[in-house]
Amino acid sequence: MSSQTSRQADCEYVIVGSGAGGGTLAARLAEAGRTVVLLEAGGDPKALAGGDPADPAGNRLPDDYNVPVFHAFASENEAMKWYFLVLHYGSDERQKRDPKYSEDWNGQPVNGVLYPRAGTRGGCTARNAMITVYPHNADWDYIAQLTGDRSWSAQNMRAYFERMEDCRHRLPYRMLRMLGLNPTRHGWGGMAPDRKGHPHLRPR
């Protein structure tokens, strides 16, 4: 005979994956006073050891993680890379036309399109070039059309970007914002500072 003991969970939410989606969702729930467990398959990129194409046998961490201009190396660092080969299309013919398609990978048949992810704390944000690229409005509106949910519209999603951004490179408009005017629709007090790049400061 077996007896079952009912135990109450010590959290309200379990979030799987600590990337841009999971990490943000877990943080927002915690800020709202919820109890959350955040699960991540990878380790701490500042504590891991792994080589990349520049030094396959060596250890390029934490530099590949810490230095934004090394983001291409971080994408292929053995300690963080997590590659999937997926059936991305319904047609084999279309699948094989994708430039990331492979019939085999490391000697194994895969018949898949490469879908590179990151297995580490922070997920794919660990390969961050620290470049802000705002999605095209048509992309948001297309999602809204596909889902039938107007909350995905470009107009609505821009408000979330404004909450996140702290624009530091358009001083005259920052001053206009103090008067309640914001023709640029940048954000001015969010958690993510945004500055112009300075090419003369790039590594030589």
Side-chain angles (χ1 to χ4, degrees):
M1 294 180 64
S2 63
S3 61
Q4 292 185 346
T5 304
S6 62
R7 294 188 301 173
Q8 187 169 352
D10 57 0
C11 68
E12 297 173 271
Y13 296 92
V14 176
I15 309 295
V16 180
S18 68
T24 304
L25 178 58
R28 292 292 178 267
L29 287 168
E31 288 170 357
R34 304 297 186 179
T35 53
V36 184
V37 170
L38 178 62
L39 301 177
E40 170 56 56
D44 180 352
K46 293 191 174 184
L48 295 171
D52 63 24
D55 185 8
N59 176 29
R60 295 266 297 178
L61 288 171
D63 288 349
D64 281 355
Y65 171 76
N66 285 336
V67 182
V69 77
F70 289 171
H71 70 279
F73 293 124
S75 299
E76 299 190 45
N77 190 288
E78 292 293 336
M80 296 193 296
K81 75 177 186 181
W82 204 359
Y83 285 175
F84 292 88
L85 283 300
V86 302
L87 293 173
H88 193 71
Y89 305 96
S91 158
D92 283 345
E93 180 186 353
R94 178 66 186 89
Q95 178 102 341
K96 290 178 180 179
R97 291 205 310 266
D98 192 296
K100 299 185 293 296
Y101 170 80
S102 293
E103 287 191 8
D104 57 75
W105 190 270
N106 292 335
Q108 299 293 321
V110 292
N111 187 33
V113 174
L114 178 63
Y115 192 70
R117 312 310 294 158
T120 186
R121 190 176 70 190
C124 290
T125 66
R127 309 182 303 212
N128 190 352
M130 297 187 75
I131 298 171
T132 302
V133 180
Y134 186 76
H136 197 285
N137 286 346
D139 294 337
W140 291 124
D141 289 337
Y142 182 57
I143 294 173
Q145 179 187 347
L146 279 178
T147 61
D149 183 351
R150 293 304 301 166
S151 69
W152 284 102
S153 69
Q155 179 73 15
N156 194 57
M157 295 306 293
R158 184 74 191 194
Y160 289 100
F161 180 77
E162 289 180 53
R163 284 172 52 187
M164 177 190 75
E165 185 187 24
D166 181 14
C167 180
R168 303 281 182 88
H169 61 88
R170 305 195 76 176
L171 185 59
Y173 292 102
R174 193 176 186 92
M175 296 171 70
L176 276 178
R177 175 246 186 181
M178 298 175 185
L179 301 174
L181 303 173
N182 188 14
T184 68
R185 296 209 65 187
H186 276 287
W188 308 101
M191 65 178 181
D194 223 353
R195 299 175 177 87
K196 271 189 177 179
H198 295 285
H200 66 280
L201 296 178
R202 71 186 186 278
R204 298 179 184 275

